[in-house]
């Protein structure tokens, strides 16, 4: 799957040679041959799937000193997960400084946010016309989604959490 992904990226950039479009070419070959082009890639990694998960769990899933996929691991070490930014760095050679991790729910184009380890990079668009009351209202509403997620993950789950008109259930 990495070979095909790299071929598609390089083809869309207009640099993939016709002889490298074959199915039997290897990831290592492509990464070596096109290293300079790959190092120039800029990647926006949308990490929304991690938004509601606890930061500590996300950090643990990203921790490891190996390379993605080494020794049968999914991520960078035992018990780690695959994160696209780490895989792009380890398996393709995309420099980490060229990868920006965002959470769309944090609206990085609108709100100044400090970042959250293993979740999203800081953002500072400094939107002058932003009403602070609107920002507070948005994050209050977003917190309801976290409350509903947490309630649904309980054992037993809180049935009805997050549904409109179901107050006082979490997230309602």
């Amino acid at each position: 799957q990495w070979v095909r992904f790299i071929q598609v990226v390089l083809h869309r950039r207009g640099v993939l040679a016709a002889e490298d479009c074959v199915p039997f070419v290897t990831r290592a070959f492509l990464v070596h041959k096109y290293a300079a082009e790959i190092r120039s890639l800029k990647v926006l990694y949308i990490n929304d799937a991690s938004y509601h998960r606890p930061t500590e769990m996300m950090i643990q899933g990203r921790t490891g000193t190996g390379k993605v996929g080494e020794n049968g691991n999914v991520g960078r070490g035992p018990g780690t997960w695959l994160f696209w930014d780490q895989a792009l760095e380890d398996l393709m050679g995309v420099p980490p400084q060229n990868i920006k991790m965002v959470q769309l729910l944090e609206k990085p184009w609108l709100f100044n946010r400090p970042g959250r380890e293993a979740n999203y990079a800081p953002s500072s668009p400094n939107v002058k016309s932003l009403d602070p009351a609107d920002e507070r209202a948005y994050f209050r509403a977003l917190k309801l989604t976290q409350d509903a997620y947490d309630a649904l993950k309980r054992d037993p789950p809180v049935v009805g959490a997050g549904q409109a008109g179901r107050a006082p259930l979490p997230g309602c």
Side-chain angles (χ1 to χ4, degrees):
Q1 80 188 35
W2 279 99
V3 168
R4 186 67 187 132
F5 176 72
I6 295 168
Q7 287 172 325
V8 168
V9 168
L10 295 172
H11 175 74
R12 288 186 178 175
R13 291 181 66 91
V15 298
L16 184 66
E19 65 269 17
D20 297 331
C21 294
V22 294
F24 54 83
V25 70
T26 67
R27 178 190 58 80
F29 172 81
L30 291 171
V31 167
H32 176 73
K33 181 174 180 179
Y34 295 96
E37 184 69 26
I38 290 170
R39 281 193 305 273
S40 75
L41 294 174
K42 304 289 189 215
V43 178
L44 181 64
Y45 169 39
I46 301 172
N47 191 29
D48 283 357
S50 302
Y51 184 79
H52 291 97
R53 295 187 174 116
T55 300
E56 301 76 31
M57 183 173 83
M58 299 311 299
I59 292 169
Q60 181 181 359
R62 291 179 62 85
T63 303
T65 57
K67 298 279 186 191
V68 169
E70 276 185 337
N71 302 317
N73 296 314
V74 175
R76 288 185 166 170
T80 60
W81 313 324
L82 179 108
F83 283 86
W84 276 98
D85 60 325
Q86 292 176 338
L88 291 169
E89 180 183 348
D90 293 351
L91 301 176
M92 281 182 64
V94 177
Q97 66 270 19
N98 289 6
I99 304 170
K100 175 142 179 138
M101 185 182 344
V102 299
Q103 288 281 345
L104 293 181
L105 293 170
E106 291 284 334
K107 297 190 177 189
W109 62 90
L110 183 61
F111 300 126
N112 293 341
R113 303 299 292 160
R116 189 167 122 201
E117 188 175 358
N119 216 284
Y120 63 92
S123 61
S124 53
N126 298 316
V127 176
K128 293 181 184 2
S129 60
L130 180 64
D131 183 342
D134 290 340
E135 182 175 0
R136 286 189 301 274
Y138 175 78
F139 283 102
R140 276 194 307 273
L142 188 56
K143 183 178 180 323
L144 293 176
T145 69
Q146 184 69 55
D147 294 346
Y149 177 86
D150 292 343
L152 292 168
K153 295 296 282 183
R154 289 186 195 142
D155 188 18
V158 178
V159 177
Q163 293 180 15
R166 300 287 306 263
L169 292 173
C172 298

